[in-house]
Amino acid sequence: MTLRQQFSLLASLLVVVLLAGNLVVTVINGRDYFEQQLNGRAYDAATSLALSMSQIDADDSVQQTRLMDVLFDRGFFEDITFARTDGETLHRRAREAFSSGGAPEWFQKLVPLELIPAEADVTRGWQRLGTVTVISHADFAYRDLWGMISAEMIWFAWVLLIALVALQLLLRLLFRSLVRVEQQALAISERDLQVQENIPRARELRRVVEAMNKMVRKLQAIFAEQAEMTERLREESYLDAPTGLLNRRGFDQQFGHILSRDDEHSGVLVIMQIQNFAEFNLNAGRQAGDDLLALLGKSLEQWRTDYPHSLLGRRAGADFSLFVPCADRTQADDIVQQAFSLMSVSALSQRNELCFHMGAVFLQGDQDDPVDAFSRADAALRQAQRQPTAKYQLYQRSDSEFDEWTAGEWRTLLNTVLEEQSIQLQYLPVISNHDQKLLQVEVFSRVSWQGQTLSAARFWPMIEQHRLAARFDLVVIEKVFNSMGGLDKNAEPVRFCVNLSPASVLDESFHQSLAELLARYPEQARCIALEVPEFALYSAEHAIARLALKLQPFGVDVGIDQVGTGTMAFAYLQRLPLAYVRIDGSFNRGVHLAQDHKFYIQSMVQIAHNLDLLVLAEGLEEAPDVNAVRQTGVDGLGGYYFTRPLDSLEDAVNWRPAV
Amino acid sequence: MKLKRLTTALSEKLFWSSLLISATLVADVNQWVPEDLVARAEKEYDYSAGRRIEDWRRMMERVANYPEDRKLEEVNYFFNKRVPFYNDDKHWGKIDYWATPYEALGTNGGDCEDYVIAKYYTLSKIGVDVSKLRITYVKAVRLNQAHMVLTYFPTPDAIPLVLDNLINQIRPASKRPDLDPVYSFNANGMWLDKMKGQGILLGDPNKLDLWTDLRVRMNNLGMDL
C-alpha cells in the first residue's frame, strides 16, 4: 500500500467515524427529545382531561366518554383509559400503530421510544372517582425522527463524497513532489543519473531531494573521473601526442588484428617517410618540427573523413603509416595517389624544403603477416626513395589471384546485387559469459558475383565510394527479417545485431525508410539490434541519438561496436540510449599477454555496468585470450574461437558451445 | 392500573414490615434529613434556623413509630406551629415559589404550598403510603382566595382528611365547607419519576413544572422527594 493510500484511508476513516458518531448522537438526542415531548404531552393531556371530567356531573357518563373521545380523535394518543378507584375500566379508547407513513420497522426496533402512561385523578368534590391514563402515539415521533435521520444521512453522504474528493485532490497535490522524488530514486537505480530541478517546499522532502541531487552529482563526477582516467590511459598507450594519430603500438595492434584475423581483408598499406626532417628540426627548431607534425596529423585526419575505416599512425620521427581499406588494386592506386597529392599541396609542400616518399602495398586475402606486409611496403619505399624528389611507389606483385574490375564494372556489380538482393547473410553467435548460453547473434553480409563470394572487406569500400551504404543497410535488415520468419516463436528471444554504416546514420531519408521497414515487421523488429562503429560518433553522434529515439518505439536496441578504436570520450555512453558496447577485436588479441589491455577492458566493463550496458568482446580466436577476457567480467564473447560464422540462421540460434 | 395496584400492595406490605422492625426506621432519619443540613442552615440563615431543622429531625424520629393517625396530627401540628404564614411574593420576592422544607424552616416562614410540601415530604418519609396522599388545589370560600391543602385518603374512595395550615385540627373534607376543591394530583408516579430523573440529569430545573423543579432542588439538598 502506498503512503498516499494509507493517508487517504486513515483520513477517510476519520471522516466516516466523525460523521457516524454525529449520526448516533443525533439519533440519541432526537429520541430523548421526542420521548420527553411525547410523555409531556401525555401528562398534560391526562391532567386537563381529568380536570375537565372532574367538573362534570358524576352520573353523566356519556359526557365523560365524549370528553375522552374528543381528545382521542385528535390522533396523538395511542391509549386513553378511564378506570374506577377499584381498578375496573369504565371506558377505553385505543388503537394500533399506523402501518404506513412511519419509519421502517428495523428503525423502530433499533431506536425504541419508552412511552410512559401518564395518570391523573378524576374527582367529584373531595372524593376520587377514578384515574385516567393516557399514552402518546409513537408513530408521529418515529416519522419525524426517521425524516430527521434520513436528511442527516443524505447530508452525511454528500459530506463524505465531497470530503473524499477534496482529500484525494489535496493528497495528490501534497504527494506530487514525493512522486517526483520516487521517480528520481527509481531513475538512479536504473543508472539514469538525473538532477531534479524542482525542489519541493516541504522541508523533509526538500532535504531528501537535495541529498539525492548531491548524490547524483557525486556519481556523475565519479563516472566522469573514471572515464577520463581510462581515456587517458588509452591515449597514452595508443596515441601519438604531437599528431593525434595512432602511435606505432596502436597502429600495429589494429593493423595486425585486421590482417591476422580469420576473415578476409582488402586494403592498401602506405608508409611515408620525410627524408630531411632531422635537418628541419635542427634548422627551424624543435617547436617548428612539432608544429609541422601537428599540421600533418590534422590534414591526414581531414582526409580520413572520406575513408572512415582507415588507420593512420606515426611510427617514429617522421615515419607515418596508413592502412586504407579498398576493393582492389586500381582503387589502391587511386588512394595512394590521393594521399600523395594531399601531402604535396598541404603540410609537405615545396616551400618547407622537405622531401618525402611513399611506399605502398595492396593487401588482400585471408591471412597476411604484418611483418611481411611492412617489408613489402618498405621495398616499395626504397624504390621511391631512389628519386631525390617526392615520389610514391606501389609495390608490384607478379601474380594476381583476384579479378580486377573497373569502376564501371563495380557499379554494375553493386547495383545488380542490390536489385536482386543477392546478399548472403552469415551469423556469428555471441555467448554469455555467465551461463554459456547464446546471448545474441552478429549478422555479417557477403556478396555473390559470378561464382565468387566477396567479403565485406572487399566490396564495402566500393559501397561507400558509390554512396550505396544506406540502400545496402536496408536490404540487409529486410533480409534478416525475412530469414527470421521460420524461427520457432516459443524459443528464447535472441537479438540479431546488424551493422549500420556511418553514412546511413547521417542520411535522414534512411531514418524514414528504416522506420517504414520496421513498421512492416513489428514482431521481428523487437528481435534486432543495430550497431554503429565507435569512430562514427565523432561526426554522427547527434544523428545516432535521433535515430535511437526513433527506434525506441519499435523495441530495437542500439549498440556501439569497435569500441576502443576511436578517439571518443566515453561520455557518449551516458548521453546515448544504448543497450550494449562491443569492444574491438584488436583489444582482445593477445590480451593474456598485455596487462594494460586487460585493464582497459576491465575499466570499460566497470563504466558500462555503472550505466547498465552490456559489454561484449568480439574477435576472440585463441583460448588464452578467451580466458583472460572472461576474467574481465564482460557479459558476452564472440569470435572464431567458438565458431566460424554460420550460413543458416537456424543453426546460429540452435548453436551451443562445445562443453 | 395493574401496576399501580401492585405498587400499592407492595407498599402496604412494606408498611407492616416496617412497623415490625421499627428500630431500623430510626436509623433512617439521616436519609430523611441529612445531618449536615443543620450546620448548613446555621451558616446560611442563623442559629435558630439550625435549631428548627434539628427540631424537625427530632420530631420525625419521635413520631416514626406512631400509628398513622397520630403521625398526621403530629406532623400537621409541628409545621402549623413552627412556621409562620407569609405570602409568596412577600416572603420569596416572587409569586408561586414552591419552597423546600429546609427553606421554609430556615427562613422561618412560608405560604400554603410550603406547608403542604413540608408535610407531604415528612409523612412520606416516616412511613405513610404516598398513594394515600394527594396535593389538592382548593378555593378558600370565605377568604375568596386560592389555597392548597394536603389530603389523606384512608381508602381510595373514602372522603379524605384535610391537613390545612389555616386550622390546626385535622377534619374530614365533609366538615370543611369553607374549602371548595378544584383539583388534586398524585405527587408520585412513574411519569414524574422519569421526568425527575431527566431533570436531574439535565441539571436545568427551570424548564420543568413547579413540582419537578422542587424535587430537583430537594434532591440537591440530599433529600429524596
Side-chain angles (χ1 to χ4, degrees):
Chain A
M1 202 188 266
T2 67
L3 195 60
R4 195 174 121 193
Q5 281 167 337
Q6 287 176 28
F7 261 103
S8 61
L9 193 73
L10 213 68
S12 311
L13 213 67
L14 195 69
V15 172
V16 170
V17 166
L18 276 178
L19 290 178
N22 186 37
L23 194 68
V24 169
V25 169
T26 307
V27 170
I28 289 173
N29 278 348
R31 196 208 40 201
D32 287 351
Y33 175 76
F34 277 110
E35 216 169 65
Q36 211 172 340
Q37 289 294 305
L38 288 175
N39 288 332
R41 181 152 58 183
Y43 186 68
D44 289 345
T47 305
S48 59
L49 181 63
L51 196 54
S52 309
M53 285 167 75
S54 301
Q55 307 306 315
I56 296 163
D57 192 352
D59 305 323
D60 195 349
S61 63
V62 176
Q63 182 84 7
Q64 282 184 336
T65 54
R66 287 317 279 169
L67 280 176
M68 287 170 66
D69 292 342
V70 167
L71 192 65
F72 186 78
D73 292 343
R74 293 272 293 143
F76 290 124
F77 304 103
E78 191 176 299
D79 189 317
I80 301 180
T81 309
F82 177 36
R84 275 212 312 251
T85 44
D86 58 7
E88 189 191 333
T89 302
L90 289 179
H91 187 58
R92 182 172 184 208
R93 293 290 305 272
R95 76 162 146 240
E96 290 298 303
F98 293 123
S99 54
S100 63
E105 207 140 315
W106 62 265
F107 180 72
Q108 301 195 11
K109 272 186 191 148
L110 195 72
V111 187
L113 282 175
E114 194 194 342
L115 296 181
I116 299 161
E119 291 176 358
D121 288 341
V122 177
T123 55
R124 160 80 39 258
W126 291 102
Q127 247 179 313
R128 282 159 64 193
L129 289 180
T131 311
V132 285
T133 309
V134 176
I135 302 174
S136 277
H137 215 303
D139 254 20
F140 295 103
Y142 273 127
R143 195 188 60 194
D144 290 355
L145 194 58
W146 175 244
M148 210 163 81
I149 300 306
S150 311
E152 177 107 350
M153 285 206 280
I154 290 170
W155 169 241
F156 179 117
W158 276 110
V159 169
L160 192 69
L161 192 75
I162 292 168
L164 290 186
V165 168
L167 189 75
Q168 286 303 318
L169 292 178
L170 194 73
L171 283 180
R172 183 165 302 173
L173 197 74
L174 285 175
F175 275 74
R176 212 164 43 191
S177 36
L178 196 59
V179 168
R180 278 202 298 266
V181 173
E182 189 191 5
Q183 280 168 350
Q184 189 189 21
L186 285 176
I188 289 172
S189 64
E190 296 279 316
R191 322 269 182 179
D192 180 8
L193 302 180
Q194 291 175 344
V195 172
Q196 186 157 321
E197 304 293 344
N198 264 323
I199 308 291
R201 269 200 298 264
R203 198 191 66 191
E204 297 89 334
L205 286 181
R206 192 180 64 222
R207 290 193 176 166
V208 170
V209 169
E210 281 166 358
M212 300 233 293
N213 281 348
K214 206 166 163 186
M215 186 178 81
V216 165
R217 291 202 184 95
K218 191 97 191 157
L219 283 173
Q220 282 174 338
I222 289 173
F223 171 79
E225 223 169 85
Q226 197 178 13
E228 199 190 336
M229 209 180 73
T230 313
E231 277 159 24
R232 208 169 45 227
L233 175 82
R234 185 178 60 173
E235 272 171 32
E236 279 167 7
S237 314
Y238 307 115
L239 292 187
D240 175 54
T243 56
L245 306 175
L246 293 168
N247 62 16
R248 181 181 184 147
R249 183 155 179 253
F251 185 90
D252 284 355
Q253 179 201 328
Q254 293 190 28
F255 178 65
H257 175 67
I258 291 171
L259 251 57
S260 17
R261 69 181 172 194
D262 276 341
D263 200 2
E264 203 178 20
H265 59 265
S266 174
V268 58
L269 172 69
V270 183
I271 311 180
M272 179 174 83
Q273 206 164 49
I274 303 169
Q275 213 144 35
N276 44 357
F277 183 67
E279 282 167 49
F280 178 82
N281 248 349
L282 222 66
N283 296 339
R286 199 159 189 86
Q287 184 59 46
D290 282 354
D291 288 349
L292 179 78
L293 288 178
L295 187 67
L296 250 168
K298 220 166 157 186
S299 47
L300 278 173
E301 280 287 4
Q302 223 160 22
W303 179 67
R304 182 193 155 106
T305 49
D306 289 337
Y307 303 95
H309 294 278
S310 57
L311 305 174
L312 310 175
R314 184 170 81 113
R315 303 193 67 74
D319 286 6
F320 292 83
S321 53
L322 325 173
F323 178 75
V324 187
C326 60
D328 54 25
R329 192 178 293 273
T330 321
Q331 204 191 7
D333 204 27
D334 287 350
I335 288 169
V336 177
Q337 195 175 349
Q338 250 183 50
F340 182 79
S341 32
L342 176 83
M343 290 299 111
S344 337
V345 298
S346 63
L348 301 175
S349 59
Q350 289 300 318
R351 63 189 156 91
N352 280 334
E353 294 172 357
L354 285 169
C355 182
F356 72 99
H357 296 90
M358 281 180 177
V361 60
F362 174 66
L363 303 166
Q364 193 168 49
D366 268 349
Q367 278 196 318
D368 260 320
D369 183 6
V371 179
D372 184 41
F374 263 106
S375 66
R376 273 181 279 162
D378 219 34
L381 179 67
R382 300 283 160 252
Q383 213 173 348
Q385 276 170 341
R386 288 186 196 143
Q387 304 289 326
T389 53
K391 174 101 172 51
Y392 74 90
Q393 179 72 47
L394 191 63
Y395 181 84
Q396 294 296 332
R397 208 168 173 172
S398 48
D399 57 327
S400 173
E401 45 183 310
F402 294 104
D403 292 337
E404 301 274 322
W405 290 303
T406 62
E409 280 171 330
W410 268 110
R411 181 181 293 278
T412 327
L413 183 158
L414 293 174
N415 276 322
T416 317
V417 162
L418 284 173
E419 267 160 38
E420 292 173 359
Q421 303 207 342
S422 53
I423 297 171
Q424 277 178 15
L425 297 185
Q426 285 192 312
Y427 305 94
L428 184 68
V430 174
I431 64 156
S432 164
N433 189 16
H434 308 295
D435 51 10
Q436 314 297 314
K437 277 191 188 154
L438 189 65
L439 192 65
Q440 49 172 235
V441 175
E442 267 194 275
V443 180
F444 299 117
S445 42
R446 271 155 212 267
V447 163
S448 313
W449 179 255
Q450 294 174 348
Q452 275 193 58
T453 304
L454 305 184
S455 72
R458 285 187 67 191
F459 69 79
W460 194 254
M462 280 299 162
I463 292 266
E464 285 192 331
Q465 198 180 331
H466 291 99
R467 302 192 188 285
L468 292 167
R471 221 176 122 194
F472 187 85
D473 282 343
L474 282 174
V475 169
V476 169
I477 292 170
E478 189 165 5
K479 244 189 131 62
V480 172
F481 284 158
N482 287 331
S483 335
M484 278 158 69
L487 269 186
D488 183 7
K489 295 253 183 324
N490 300 322
E492 242 175 277
V494 173
R495 288 274 175 187
F496 293 86
C497 306
V498 182
N499 282 289
L500 283 191
S501 76
S504 305
V505 174
L506 283 168
D507 184 353
E508 282 299 327
S509 65
F510 170 78
H511 290 201
Q512 197 52 44
S513 316
L514 180 59
E516 283 164 16
L517 177 64
L518 293 173
R520 268 188 286 142
Y521 297 89
E523 246 175 80
Q524 288 88 336
R526 279 196 294 277
C527 291
I528 64 159
L530 300 176
E531 57 190 52
V532 186
E534 192 189 41
F535 61 78
L537 289 165
Y538 190 69
S539 54
E541 189 184 322
H542 289 296
I544 291 170
R546 259 180 290 129
L547 183 65
L549 272 181
K550 210 165 190 167
L551 293 180
Q552 251 166 8
F554 297 104
V556 177
D557 278 352
V558 174
I560 299 291
D561 79 337
Q562 297 181 26
V563 169
T565 58
T567 53
M568 286 297 297
F570 284 135
Y572 71 81
L573 293 176
Q574 217 179 353
R575 289 196 297 263
L576 293 174
L578 301 174
Y580 63 90
V581 290
R582 200 187 298 283
I583 294 174
D584 190 61
S586 62
F587 275 96
N588 304 327
R589 177 173 298 278
V591 70
H592 68 286
L593 296 174
Q595 205 54 42
D596 55 344
H597 281 204
K598 198 168 166 186
F599 178 76
Y600 175 79
I601 297 174
Q602 269 169 346
S603 309
M604 195 67 214
V605 165
Q606 230 171 44
I607 292 169
H609 282 180
N610 274 338
L611 297 166
D612 253 10
L613 304 178
L614 288 182
V615 182
L616 311 165
E618 67 177 348
L620 287 162
E621 289 174 7
E622 309 291 335
D625 288 344
V626 171
N627 289 333
V629 168
R630 274 196 202 284
Q631 284 163 18
T632 59
V634 297
D635 300 289
L637 309 102
Y640 289 10
Y641 169 76
F642 299 103
T643 172
R644 297 190 64 83
L646 304 161
D647 289 331
S648 144
L649 184 135
E650 277 84 2
D651 287 351
V653 170
N654 295 322
W655 184 85
R656 294 288 177 271
V659 180
Chain B
M1 293 313 285
K2 237 182 202 167
L3 194 74
K4 193 181 171 190
R5 247 196 328 228
L6 193 75
T7 49
T8 314
L10 201 69
S11 53
E12 263 169 16
K13 249 185 204 162
L14 279 172
F15 173 62
W16 290 115
S17 55
S18 68
L19 275 185
L20 287 174
I21 42 164
S22 49
T24 53
L25 281 175
V26 179
D28 280 337
V29 74
N30 279 334
Q31 282 175 17
W32 305 335
V33 181
E35 212 165 0
D36 63 348
L37 274 190
V38 180
R40 183 171 169 169
E42 281 178 13
K43 203 176 153 198
E44 195 172 335
Y45 304 108
D46 54 16
Y47 177 74
S48 58
R51 288 300 93 213
R52 285 192 290 277
I53 301 287
E54 184 58 34
D55 288 349
W56 179 34
R57 280 168 53 89
R58 292 232 176 96
M59 181 273 289
M60 286 174 85
E61 220 171 321
R62 181 164 54 83
V63 305
N65 294 332
Y66 285 6
E68 202 147 284
D69 54 341
R70 282 293 308 282
K71 283 180 183 170
L72 295 175
E73 271 172 26
E74 288 283 350
V75 170
N76 189 46
Y77 184 76
F78 176 82
F79 284 103
N80 286 0
K81 201 74 182 168
R82 294 302 294 267
V83 182
F85 180 85
Y86 291 108
N87 271 334
D88 270 350
D89 49 347
K90 279 188 202 152
H91 194 71
W92 303 112
K94 45 185 165 181
I95 305 167
D96 243 10
Y97 178 73
W98 290 20
T100 62
Y102 166 77
E103 289 167 312
L105 287 166
T107 57
N108 201 21
D111 73 348
C112 54
E113 295 99 24
D114 305 338
Y115 288 99
V116 170
I117 291 159
K119 288 170 190 173
Y120 179 89
Y121 177 74
T122 309
L123 287 172
S124 72
K125 288 298 154 187
I126 59 175
V128 176
D129 183 1
V130 290
S131 67
K132 292 178 179 174
L133 295 174
R134 289 291 184 277
I135 291 166
T136 310
Y137 288 83
V138 297
K139 185 178 137 189
V141 181
R142 251 174 306 172
L143 300 170
N144 193 26
Q145 190 180 308
H147 187 44
M148 187 179 270
V149 295
L150 184 66
T151 47
Y152 173 81
F153 291 81
T155 58
D157 49 358
I159 304 272
L161 298 173
V162 177
L163 283 73
D164 187 6
N165 63 300
L166 296 178
I167 58 171
N168 289 336
Q169 198 187 359
I170 299 175
R171 291 180 193 166
S174 53
K175 296 283 168 58
R176 292 298 303 268
D178 58 325
L179 298 178
D180 192 2
V182 178
Y183 177 69
S184 68
F185 75 92
N186 181 358
N188 208 3
M190 271 173 74
W191 190 86
L192 285 166
D193 277 343
K194 165 101 179 162
M195 286 324 235
K196 183 184 77 170
Q198 281 177 354
I200 290 163
L201 282 178
L202 296 173
D204 184 8
N206 295 329
K207 284 185 183 158
L208 304 169
D209 62 292
L210 289 172
W211 179 246
T212 313
D213 174 28
L214 172 74
R215 298 181 82 183
V216 171
R217 282 185 282 126
M218 291 284 281
N219 248 292
N220 292 342
L221 288 169
M223 294 182 283
D224 180 34
L225 179 60

